[in-house]
Amino acid sequence: MKIRCIANTGDVLPTMCRDPLRGIDIDTQFPVTTGSSYPVYAVTLFLGTVWYYVLDDDRNPWPTWMPAPLFEVEDGSLPPTWSIGYFRFSREEQYPILSFPEWAADHHFYERLVDREDEAIQVFENRRREVEDS
């Protein structure tokens, strides 16, 4: 799946996508470049809309989530290995995730990737190639 950025500021987001308590309001600047394309490494739902995990312009070695209204879909095909998971962190914090199986089945995968654990890094690098080659 590949998406193209059409905006990068909170003022273009639907009201339901904004949550000032989480730092998402009309003044939020997202680290993506208008006109640039980004491979998608996972998809989730949050604040009533779809969010894509992409490697953004901050150049972190892990994907971060961005609200879908900032993008248009260039190629909606998904890698054949992807699956869906559902994470229940609390009664109020529950999210589906569509991604490669290691992430979809393990709600700690992303945390381990950000913490730079070797196994998570290796899995992501392998799956990253799969996403970028599809």
Side-chain angles (χ1 to χ4, degrees):
M1 178 176 196
K2 189 173 257 186
I3 55 176
R4 187 174 66 79
C5 180
I6 57 173
N8 60 8
T9 56
D11 63 327
V12 303
L13 296 177
T15 304
M16 69 182 179
C17 292
R18 298 185 204 141
D19 185 348
L21 295 176
R22 296 178 192 265
I24 305 164
D25 59 29
I26 63 170
D27 297 318
T28 302
Q29 286 277 342
F30 294 90
V32 288
T33 301
T34 302
S36 292
S37 295
Y38 298 86
V40 175
Y41 302 97
V43 179
T44 193
L45 293 174
F46 181 67
L47 297 176
T49 195
V50 169
W51 289 61
Y52 302 122
Y53 281 86
V54 301
L55 290 171
D56 64 28
D57 297 351
D58 282 346
R59 306 221 188 287
N60 289 316
W62 58 83
T64 56
W65 59 346
M66 302 283 159
L70 299 178
F71 302 91
E72 65 182 15
V73 176
E74 286 185 331
D75 176 0
S77 61
L78 300 173
T81 60
W82 277 26
S83 59
I84 192 160
Y86 194 83
F87 299 158
R88 292 175 176 88
F89 298 103
S90 70
R91 182 174 177 208
E92 300 302 319
E93 300 282 330
Q94 299 186 30
Y95 312 99
I97 185 110
L98 177 64
S99 187
F100 47 87
E102 295 87 351
W103 191 347
D106 178 2
H107 73 272
H108 294 292
F109 178 82
Y110 186 75
E111 179 181 315
R112 292 184 301 111
L113 181 60
V114 171
D115 288 345
R116 308 307 296 147
E117 290 184 13
D118 290 340
E119 180 184 343
I121 292 168
Q122 186 62 48
V123 166
F124 178 69
E125 288 306 315
N126 290 338
R127 294 301 186 170
R128 177 181 176 177
R129 285 189 290 278
E130 180 181 276
V131 166
E132 293 172 2
D133 292 343
S134 65

